[in-house]
Amino acid sequence: MSDLFDYKKEMSELRFTEIQKKALAEAAASAARTPSKRRRPVFRTALIAAAMAAVLVVGSSAAGILPSPAEIFTPLFGGAAAQTEVIDKIGRPIGASDTDNGITITAEAIMGDQYNAVIVYTLTRDDGERFLPEGKSLDETHLMIDGFNGASWVKGGAHGGSWFVDEDPEDNQIQLVETASSNVAMTKGTANASFEDLQYWNAETEQAELLYPGKWKLRFEVDYEDCSVRLGGGETFSQDGLNFTIDEITLSPIAVRVVYTADSAVVWSDAPSGREAPENAPRRQRYLENIEILLTKTDGTVIDLGGSGGRVSPDYKADVSHCTKGQVFDEIIPLEEMESIRVGGVTYEIPHN
């Protein structure tokens, strides 16, 4: 990590010890107690436990008529008419699935833009019985799954997140939502996803326990429409003793991506695998975390996206750092509902065609 820092992916590629799993579960429980602005029946958990091994197994298509992307994404990302219209335009059904030990995992649908994507998977008990242990719900059953690091068609640096959703705790299904942001185009390609051994955290025994053993491998084609707009090109701002040039802003109804250059090459300190050197934290803040991104909607709502993940790559010959920062939104935001975006003090009006 001496010449590159890919924020969030560093954490997503770890295998967790039992002690670490406990800490994650406690953090997730704390997050679950915090009121959420999302309309989702949401419970998030740090479930990406390992880098995905390369797989070339094709999952079988789900039988029958595939559900529409709107059916899949509307409960998760908003169901207003304008939001549904966006989903219908950019979403694509998938239907690839794999079954092991009575559990079927299906990649249901995908939507995205040039640099971001969202995939929804459904985990199903084939016997029709309640998916989670009797009397348990996601806010108290902290799920973890090994082997999962989706969006493997991404060829460059990537970051993202994933979480479980259970709309009906009494039925035989739960959903897994994955977001991915990349520094290379990802609207077309082949995606591979691998899953192994669904576990949960037992608060009484303070141990991770196996819920459903198995190995599931999926492969499916990615092909969706990019409806993003591009802004910026050469505007500058200064902060924290650095001068920044905004190279490009990509904005779509599902995500934002900001590419900018700092006038100094950051020097990262090495640390043991899976850890960050203490002196890297303030450097990461200067080049990445402190960069303001504020999205203003036409109704006056301001969304703070400054906490987005990203990537900082120094160029020592030119003595600059190339930075990318962005994220998938918590909800679909049609472009016509966006008024402006502010990056590092520079404000851009959003064009409405």
Side-chain angles (χ1 to χ4, degrees):
M1 201 168 69
S2 60
D3 60 352
L4 175 69
F5 191 90
D6 197 357
Y7 185 45
K8 288 189 179 179
K9 187 176 182 184
E10 294 292 331
M11 293 303 298
S12 73
E13 293 184 347
L14 301 181
R15 286 192 178 274
F16 299 112
T17 66
E18 298 305 320
I19 293 176
Q20 290 169 324
K21 287 178 180 179
K22 178 182 178 181
L24 288 171
E26 290 174 346
S30 175
R33 290 190 293 269
T34 302
S36 174
K37 296 181 180 178
R38 303 181 181 189
R39 63 185 301 276
R40 310 170 190 166
V42 65
F43 176 75
R44 290 178 175 249
T45 182
L47 56 91
I48 299 179
M52 188 193 76
V55 291
L56 296 174
V57 177
V58 178
S60 60
S61 296
I65 300 175
L66 297 177
S68 70
E71 291 179 72
I72 301 300
F73 287 113
T74 293
L76 304 171
F77 289 89
Q83 294 172 316
T84 301
E85 183 178 346
V86 170
I87 294 172
D88 285 338
K89 182 178 181 180
I90 67 175
R92 297 291 183 271
I94 300 174
S97 64
D98 192 19
T99 300
D100 192 19
N101 286 334
I103 302 294
T104 297
I105 298 182
T106 303
E108 299 281 10
I110 185 171
M111 65 178 178
D113 60 25
Q114 187 172 6
Y115 298 103
N116 304 274
V118 183
I119 299 177
V120 175
Y121 302 90
T122 296
L123 287 69
T124 303
R125 271 189 62 155
D126 297 336
D127 61 7
E129 296 296 318
R130 191 182 197 274
F131 192 89
L132 293 176
E134 188 64 35
K136 296 292 186 181
S137 59
L138 280 183
D139 62 354
E140 54 191 0
T141 304
H142 311 304
L143 297 181
M144 296 166 281
I145 194 162
D146 285 337
F148 172 59
N149 187 6
S152 61
W153 70 94
V154 178
K155 304 303 180 184
H159 65 274
S162 45
W163 61 93
F164 287 105
V165 175
D166 192 3
E167 295 186 63
D168 182 0
E170 298 303 320
D171 70 7
N172 65 327
Q173 295 183 331
I174 63 171
Q175 283 72 44
L176 168 60
V177 184
E178 177 207 3
T179 67
S181 299
S182 172
N183 65 333
V184 298
M186 51 194 288
T187 56
K188 297 182 183 296
T190 300
N192 297 295
S194 179
F195 307 84
E196 182 175 348
D197 292 347
L198 184 64
Q199 304 173 69
Y200 73 99
W201 182 257
N202 189 321
E204 295 181 358
T205 64
E206 297 188 344
Q207 296 288 330
E209 297 187 7
L210 187 62
L211 182 60
Y212 298 118
K215 293 182 179 181
W216 302 267
K217 297 179 180 180
L218 308 177
R219 180 178 180 176
F220 50 90
E221 294 304 310
V222 174
D223 186 5
Y224 56 82
E225 181 179 349
D226 174 27
C227 61
S228 56
V229 297
R230 286 157 182 78
L231 308 167
E235 296 78 15
T236 62
F237 65 94
S238 300
Q239 67 178 54
D240 296 334
L242 295 169
N243 298 313
F244 297 92
T245 300
I246 300 172
D247 301 312
E248 182 182 68
I249 300 171
T250 304
L251 190 63
S252 78
I254 75 156
V256 64
R257 175 178 180 264
V258 178
V259 181
Y260 56 95
T261 302
D263 67 347
S264 176
V266 65
V267 178
W268 300 115
S269 298
D270 291 325
S273 178
R275 298 184 180 183
E276 181 185 9
E279 57 269 27
N280 282 344
R283 297 168 186 167
R284 185 184 69 241
Q285 291 170 355
R286 289 182 70 205
Y287 286 82
L288 193 71
E289 295 178 9
N290 292 348
I291 303 303
E292 170 193 73
I293 303 177
L294 296 176
L295 177 64
T296 300
K297 299 174 65 175
T298 53
D299 65 2
T301 302
V302 178
I303 303 174
D304 187 352
L305 302 169
S308 302
R311 177 183 180 94
V312 180
S313 180
D315 180 342
Y316 297 112
K317 290 184 178 180
D319 192 25
V320 297
S321 292
H322 301 289
C323 311
T324 303
K325 181 173 179 175
Q327 70 174 71
V328 173
F329 299 144
D330 291 341
E331 62 177 338
I332 298 292
I333 308 176
L335 289 173
E336 58 268 23
E337 296 181 9
M338 301 181 190
E339 180 176 296
S340 64
I341 187 166
R342 179 182 174 92
V343 177
V346 181
T347 299
Y348 301 86
E349 300 299 320
I350 309 300
H352 299 150
N353 297 328

